[in-house]
Amino acid sequence: MRERRRRTLTSPDDDVDKAQKSNSSFEEETAITKVLKSVDPSLLDDSPGGVNALTRKGTILMTMCSCLGFHALRLILRDAFFRSASSTRPNTLLKRKVAEHYLLSAIHAFGCSYFSLRKFLSGRWNSPVGSEAMLCFSLGYTSYTLCALKTQLLSDPLWALNELGNFVKIWSCLRAQGVGWVVPMLFSAEVPTAFLDTLRMLAEFGIQPSHIVWRMFLGAFTLSFVSVKAIALPAILGYFVLRPQDYPELHQPAFLPAKLAILARAFLNYLWLSIVARHWVPTRHFHPEGEYLISRREERLPRLREITPNMGQVIQHIRKAYNPMSLLFFSVLQGCYFVGPAAIPAILYALARRPKYRMAAGSVLAMLGIMAVWPMHMERPYRTASTPMAALLQKWLRERLLRYFSFKAIFEEPLQKDRRYMLAVMPHGVIPFASTCLSIALEKEGFVPNSIGADILFQIPLLRQLCRFGGLVPATPQSIKRALTWPYPNNVTFIVPGGIAEIFLMRPDLEQVFIKSRKGFVRLALQSGVDIVPVYGLGHTQLFTMLDKSSALGGFLMRMSRRFKVSLPLSYGRLGMPLVPYSKPIAALVGKPIRIEKAYSNPPEELVNDIHAQFIAELQRIFEKHKGIVPGYEHKQLYLEDEAVPPLQKDAMATDVLFPSSMPDPKGQVPRSRL
């Protein structure tokens, strides 16, 4: 093996092919290499012996892809196991974040440990097979951890140096030639972390093992940490480095950062061992209730067993939420919103710079132009599907939407067929799905509601046809007044007064509506003589994760959205997609109608203010009365846009962990920071 490695890196150019043939296990292209070569050959190192070595560009691409993969994995784990913790008390939100990162750490540690142990037990520890895939896997976890826990870089410098050293080590191994055989040995350092993460997850889930089991895991962690990280790895790597004639691949310039990172991490390991040895207190290190292992009882966050569903509920939820047809439906909606505008620059580029694609690009551009100007007949009421096939498709889509959100509707008073109504729905959310689901529920009672949508939706090709298919009407004064005059079955009109400003008020720990300055809808209702019905969409704030206006970027996006009259929220839902919501329950709370007995051509301001005040009072009443119908909303409070709201809770990752990276005097107070 040594001779083959030496020949691979030191043979002259005319013997490269022969060296490759004699060392097929070392020079065989991996699946990742083949994919990158098909995408862009410049992502790979084309020098002799560098078949599986990546260039800087290729390493950056793999870092981004693997980092996004871990982010998607975190979202899936959150949706499957921690979804009920997303809308409860602030402490529960912090517990969920802690548990998510520990679970990702456990997945990474057990994956790397399994890879290394399998190599050692099979006797093929120096085989490079699978090394590149594991390097990309570990690089994704490390880079994602650094991004997600960036606030800890300054508060815990030892942890920051350790993670940065691990990142540099993996990066260097991907760029170096012929070092895949050393990867299983490097990943054996994750074996102690696997024992540690087991203890962490037991503590997070509130599981109380026996003292014997607890001490066995702690003993295994301590023994593996000392034997692997402090003794075996430094000795073996030192032996390899001190014999450059036998292992020339470990002395190439591309592998130098890895050697420095390994040396720095070895120093940190000895530093941690010295800190623990100086402050060793067996009763606090080996006892399950020790304050070094779990925070004090009065400071503990809720146990995960109290906020997570059982396994049967998890399986049922995954079957419903990850149904391919449901994901396809929301993906089509997302594609119509983004693909149409994004396709215009690509089509223009093809027309100008790609002659062989001009005919296809011109045809697509002409089709989009026709769809953009095709008449939509907004002057007449919307009717249900006219053909049996369209009616069947519409019914199937709507039933699936109701099941996806486990929708419920609460009516304080039934709607009458001989009166006209304006249903004002709040809050807006990224997409007001509560109004859509309530419209479907009303259709089962014979109504064919009209929904007011942003005017920009009717300017995007294909999306405007989809909106009209769903019964939407442009949010212009003329269109709204026309819709309010239509009789039964179109005598119900939905409107979302909060608009774009309300989107950026979304927070997971409270409810906030933008209504104090929104009186235009009241004036329109008085001019048309229609009743106003307050509707609260309970559950809107848990369908997406987004950046609210409290951050600098969120405030900038809110100002740009209001300036250009198009929503530009930085949000994501299931699988990190911007317009695919989480499958969480929502409910429509329909309050008592505010009667408008006659139409006013020019309604007095006092009457507008009085009706507006009644609307706010009724909205607050139905929220407080029925907020417990959606799990997690029992403790939430409703705020208006001009009311002071409590600040967001700080990150709990620095306080809710098991093992500190520094240990003060045992008689003093014990800070808890991330290892």
Side-chain angles (χ1 to χ4, degrees):
M1 175 64 74
R2 295 179 186 173
E3 181 63 26
R4 284 185 289 179
R5 282 196 298 267
R6 189 186 308 117
R7 290 179 61 189
T8 300
L9 295 172
T10 61
S11 59
D13 293 342
D14 54 353
D15 292 332
V16 170
D17 294 336
K18 184 177 179 180
Q20 290 175 346
K21 292 180 181 178
S22 64
N23 194 8
S24 59
S25 64
F26 210 63
E27 296 297 329
E28 184 179 356
E29 290 185 348
T30 63
I32 295 178
T33 301
K34 294 177 181 178
V35 172
L36 292 178
K37 180 182 289 188
S38 64
V39 174
D40 186 0
S42 64
L43 300 174
L44 301 174
D45 186 357
D46 58 357
S47 60
V51 175
N52 292 323
L54 307 184
T55 61
R56 183 180 290 107
K57 180 180 177 181
T59 312
I60 292 175
L61 176 63
M62 293 307 303
T63 302
M64 295 175 60
C65 293
S66 53
C67 185
L68 289 175
F70 265 94
H71 181 63
L73 176 60
R74 179 186 178 185
L75 296 179
I76 294 174
L77 294 174
R78 172 187 298 176
D79 189 44
F81 295 99
F82 308 126
R83 64 183 187 278
S84 58
S86 61
S87 58
T88 53
R89 294 171 295 178
N91 280 350
T92 305
L93 299 176
L94 302 181
K95 171 62 71 174
R96 186 198 69 188
K97 183 175 182 180
V98 172
E100 287 172 358
H101 283 286
Y102 281 166
L103 192 54
L104 287 180
S105 177
I107 291 174
H108 172 258
F110 280 99
C112 294
S113 301
Y114 172 76
F115 172 75
S116 296
L117 292 176
R118 189 187 66 175
K119 290 284 188 180
F120 280 102
L121 294 178
S122 63
R124 295 183 289 114
W125 66 271
N126 57 354
S127 171
V129 177
S131 296
E132 190 173 29
M134 288 304 302
L135 285 172
C136 295
F137 172 77
S138 186
L139 183 64
Y141 168 75
T142 306
S143 56
Y144 182 71
T145 301
L146 290 172
C147 294
L149 302 179
K150 54 184 177 295
T151 57
Q152 305 301 313
L153 295 179
L154 297 179
S155 62
D156 196 343
L158 293 182
W159 172 81
L161 289 175
N162 182 68
E163 293 299 319
L164 288 173
N166 194 37
F167 179 84
V168 172
K169 177 190 71 176
I170 301 171
W171 178 285
S172 180
C173 288
L174 281 173
R175 298 206 59 206
Q177 302 176 6
V179 296
W181 62 274
V182 81
V183 171
M185 183 171 50
L186 295 178
F187 279 161
S188 64
E190 298 298 329
V191 174
T193 309
F195 290 109
L196 178 61
D197 286 332
T198 302
L199 293 178
R200 285 172 169 171
M201 293 309 301
L202 289 176
E204 292 304 319
F205 277 93
I207 299 175
Q208 188 73 18
S210 64
H211 291 190
I212 296 179
V213 174
W214 194 274
R215 292 173 182 176
M216 285 179 57
F217 272 94
L218 275 178
F221 162 70
T222 305
L223 180 62
S224 60
F225 188 94
V226 174
S227 59
V228 175
K229 289 190 174 183
I231 300 176
L233 276 181
I236 296 175
L237 292 176
Y239 171 79
F240 289 155
V241 171
L242 293 178
R243 304 191 64 177
Q245 69 279 5
D246 294 331
Y247 306 97
E249 61 271 18
L250 300 183
H251 296 272
Q252 54 185 303
F255 195 69
L256 178 60
K259 292 191 289 186
L260 296 177
I262 294 171
L263 183 64
R265 296 191 73 196
F267 170 76
L268 291 176
N269 292 333
Y270 288 119
L271 179 61
W272 278 323
L273 286 176
S274 65
I275 293 174
V276 172
R278 289 199 309 269
H279 301 281
W280 182 257
V281 183
T283 57
R284 290 203 285 182
H285 284 79
F286 276 130
H287 198 278
E289 292 292 329
E291 55 187 3
Y292 283 155
L293 302 181
I294 311 175
S295 57
R296 297 179 179 89
R297 185 174 298 276
E298 63 273 11
E299 298 177 359
R300 292 181 193 173
L301 298 176
R303 292 182 174 183
L304 282 178
R305 287 192 301 177
E306 302 171 1
I307 62 176
T308 54
N310 57 45
M311 189 55 63
Q313 294 173 328
V314 169
I315 296 175
Q316 182 180 2
H317 171 75
I318 291 177
R319 289 180 58 186
K320 180 186 72 171
Y322 289 91
N323 185 282
M325 299 308 299
S326 299
L327 294 178
L328 177 62
F329 170 74
F330 289 110
S331 299
V332 170
L333 175 64
Q334 179 175 255
C336 293
Y337 192 83
F338 291 106
V339 174
I344 302 298
I347 292 173
L348 296 178
Y349 173 79
L351 289 173
R353 305 294 297 272
R354 300 291 182 181
K356 63 179 181 179
Y357 297 118
R358 283 178 180 172
M359 181 172 292
S363 302
V364 174
L365 184 62
M367 183 186 67
L368 292 177
I370 294 174
M371 297 182 70
V373 299
W374 194 268
M376 301 296 295
H377 302 293
M378 299 295 180
E379 70 280 356
R380 61 174 182 256
Y382 169 75
R383 298 290 179 181
T384 55
S386 56
T387 64
M389 183 60 67
L392 184 63
L393 175 62
Q394 195 176 67
K395 180 181 179 180
W396 180 82
L397 289 175
R398 292 178 175 180
E399 290 296 331
R400 183 164 295 278
L401 194 65
L402 294 180
R403 290 200 305 268
Y404 188 84
F405 293 116
S406 302
F407 177 74
K408 297 179 182 179
I410 304 296
F411 289 88
E412 292 283 323
E413 289 185 8
L415 302 182
Q416 302 176 12
K417 297 180 180 181
D418 58 346
R419 299 190 65 88
R420 290 174 290 130
Y421 297 97
M422 173 191 284
L423 272 64
V425 183
M426 306 192 84
H428 188 289
V430 176
I431 300 177
F433 284 110
S435 63
T436 304
C437 294
L438 182 58
S439 175
I440 297 172
L442 288 175
E443 284 193 17
K444 295 181 178 181
E445 300 181 8
F447 297 95
V448 184
N450 316 297
S451 299
I452 306 300
D455 189 44
I456 187 65
L457 300 178
F458 294 87
Q459 301 177 19
I460 301 176
L462 188 59
L463 183 60
R464 62 198 300 265
Q465 281 79 14
L466 186 63
C467 291
R468 188 55 180 159
F469 181 75
L472 267 68
V473 176
T476 60
Q478 297 80 10
S479 299
I480 297 175
K481 289 181 180 180
R482 186 186 305 118
L484 292 174
T485 62
W486 291 335
Y488 177 83
N490 300 97
N491 59 331
V492 176
T493 301
F494 285 91
I495 190 170
V496 187
I500 293 174
E502 200 170 56
I503 298 176
F504 292 90
L505 298 181
M506 285 178 54
R507 278 179 46 174
D509 57 333
L510 53 83
E511 297 289 288
Q512 195 171 11
V513 294
F514 196 93
I515 188 58
K516 292 293 288 293
S517 59
R518 298 299 174 105
K519 301 180 181 180
F521 73 100
V522 176
R523 192 170 287 106
L524 285 172
L526 289 171
Q527 291 173 352
S528 303
V530 301
D531 298 343
I532 303 177
V533 183
V535 179
Y536 197 91
L538 206 62
H540 271 175
T541 54
Q542 64 179 0
L543 298 182
F544 293 92
T545 301
M546 71 166 293
L547 203 63
D548 67 342
K549 69 172 186 177
S550 61
S551 62
L553 180 58
F556 172 76
L557 292 174
M558 183 185 70
R559 293 190 295 270
M560 292 296 101
S561 299
R562 301 185 69 177
R563 180 180 181 87
F564 295 107
K565 299 185 183 303
V566 57
S567 58
L568 300 171
L570 189 59
S571 62
Y572 61 86
R574 169 153 291 121
L575 301 177
M577 296 184 181
L579 292 182
V580 180
Y582 299 118
S583 179
K584 297 184 178 181
I586 60 176
L589 312 180
V590 184
K592 296 180 180 179
I594 302 173
R595 301 292 183 182
I596 307 296
E597 299 300 339
K598 66 175 184 177
Y600 298 83
S601 58
N602 188 18
E605 195 65 25
E606 295 80 5
L607 182 58
V608 172
N609 293 335
D610 180 60
I611 299 297
H612 186 260
Q614 294 182 43
F615 177 86
I616 296 177
E618 179 66 11
L619 191 72
Q620 293 173 327
R621 185 189 70 82
I622 60 176
F623 175 81
E624 292 297 332
K625 181 179 179 181
H626 301 290
K627 63 181 181 180
I629 194 174
V630 173
Y633 276 70
E634 303 88 351
H635 307 285
K636 284 195 173 186
Q637 299 297 323
L638 177 61
Y639 297 87
L640 306 182
E641 74 268 20
D642 59 347
E643 295 179 346
V645 298
L648 283 170
Q649 291 287 318
K650 294 183 179 180
D651 192 356
M653 290 303 295
T655 57
D656 188 48
V657 297
L658 296 180
F659 291 85
S661 61
S662 60
M663 299 182 184
D665 184 20
K667 297 181 180 180
Q669 186 177 3
V670 181
R672 291 172 294 277
S673 57
R674 184 179 176 89
L675 178 57

